[in-house]
Amino acid sequence: MYALSIATAIVLLLLVVFVHELSHALVAIARGVRVKEASVGFPLWPVIRRKVRGVPVAVSPWLIGAGIILDDEQLWKLPLVKRLLVFIYGPIGNLLAAGLVAWVTLGFTWGFAATSEMFTASVGALSQVIASGVPMEQIFGPIRLVSFSSNVLLIEYWLGIVFIWLLMNCALAAFNFLPLPGLDAGHFGLSLLLANRKDGKRLWRKITLSFYPLLLTFVVVLLVNDIRFLGAW
């Protein structure tokens, strides 16, 4: 049963990230923007690369996320509002996915309330982390999140799936609403600020790429802390 709960937690995490990236991709494709590459897992060695319907797909064993790379030229040729929709639809897709499952399993009223409360709690937790400067050691990374989720599933499997689905979707949505370059709200804000500049695309790309090493460092630190925590536990 423990192995099942671990496997279920991992699958849920991957599905949540997949929904997020798929939401971006579907909105982009609907507006004529090509998906240049998709990845399952963090694209670090070892990586298996294949083409699926003409789209290069990278698969790695570092199953802590997924991502897509869009054609920047086509993206920046879109009208501003359509471009902003592509950027922001990832977290919106997560909230819609959370709400749909909650509505089906709990009914409309309770489902809406549960999704709203979970998202509000996620925003509140992030705000507390930022405002109070919570040590990195106390922040859950993907490994500890899977561990926590598996423990919930051991207590109550089917209702636990609904709870974890809501938690992961709302947490990912709240995180991507942070106005930081490299995150969805950061893309949204930069695109809005640079909309009237001729060199807007170049600046957007430069600022975004400069923040990616920080995001990668943040992920690595979370993973190291997770491993240390589980080792001590």
Side-chain angles (χ1 to χ4, degrees), residues 162-186:
V162 177
F163 172 78
I164 296 303
W165 179 255
L166 290 177
L167 172 64
M168 288 182 175
N169 273 290
C170 290
L172 184 58
F175 181 69
N176 273 280
F177 278 130
L178 290 175
L180 299 174
L183 300 181
D184 294 338

Side-chain angles (χ1 to χ4, degrees), residues 151-196:
N151 289 329
V152 171
L153 295 171
L154 282 173
I155 298 171
E156 175 54 60
Y157 188 75
W158 293 110
L159 189 59
I161 287 177
V162 177
F163 172 78
I164 296 303
W165 179 255
L166 290 177
L167 172 64
M168 288 182 175
N169 273 290
C170 290
L172 184 58
F175 181 69
N176 273 280
F177 278 130
L178 290 175
L180 299 174
L183 300 181
D184 294 338
H187 291 318
F188 184 98
L190 280 175
S191 184
L192 196 59
L193 288 172
L194 301 173
N196 296 322

Side-chain angles (χ1 to χ4, degrees), residues 1-185:
M1 186 64 182
Y2 185 69
L4 176 62
S5 67
I6 288 286
T8 303
I10 292 173
V11 169
L12 285 172
L13 178 59
L14 289 175
L15 281 175
V16 166
V17 180
F18 176 76
V19 165
H20 182 93
E21 299 301 338
L22 181 64
S23 298
H24 285 304
L26 290 178
V27 175
I29 292 170
R31 282 151 181 79
V33 178
R34 182 171 65 94
V35 177
K36 296 172 67 175
E37 184 174 336
S39 63
V40 178
F42 209 77
L44 296 176
W45 186 89
V47 179
I48 299 173
R49 299 184 184 276
R50 296 287 186 273
K51 280 194 174 184
V52 179
R53 294 191 175 183
V55 177
V57 177
V59 180
S60 84
W62 308 99
L63 299 177
I64 56 174
I68 59 170
I69 299 175
L70 301 176
D71 189 313
D72 287 351
E73 298 294 333
Q74 294 177 347
L75 183 61
W76 276 82
K77 287 179 180 177
L78 291 178
L80 178 61
V81 173
K82 292 183 178 180
R83 186 164 71 246
L84 294 178
L85 281 175
V86 173
F87 286 139
I88 208 63
Y89 221 82
I92 291 175
N94 284 124
L95 293 177
L96 290 175
L100 178 62
V101 170
W103 171 62
V104 170
T105 56
L106 304 175
F108 179 79
T109 301
W110 284 101
F112 179 80
T115 306
S116 299
E117 289 181 13
M118 187 67 78
F119 180 66
T120 301
S122 298
V123 172
L126 271 177
S127 301
Q128 187 176 5
V129 166
I130 296 170
S132 60
V134 174
M136 285 290 293
E137 292 80 5
Q138 297 181 21
I139 301 176
F140 275 33
I143 297 176
R144 262 190 286 183
L145 179 58
V146 167
S147 177
F148 166 79
S149 300
S150 65
N151 289 329
V152 171
L153 295 171
L154 282 173
I155 298 171
E156 175 54 60
Y157 188 75
W158 293 110
L159 189 59
I161 287 177
V162 177
F163 172 78
I164 296 303
W165 179 255
L166 290 177
L167 172 64
M168 288 182 175
N169 273 290
C170 290
L172 184 58
F175 181 69
N176 273 280
F177 278 130
L178 290 175
L180 299 174
L183 300 181
D184 294 338

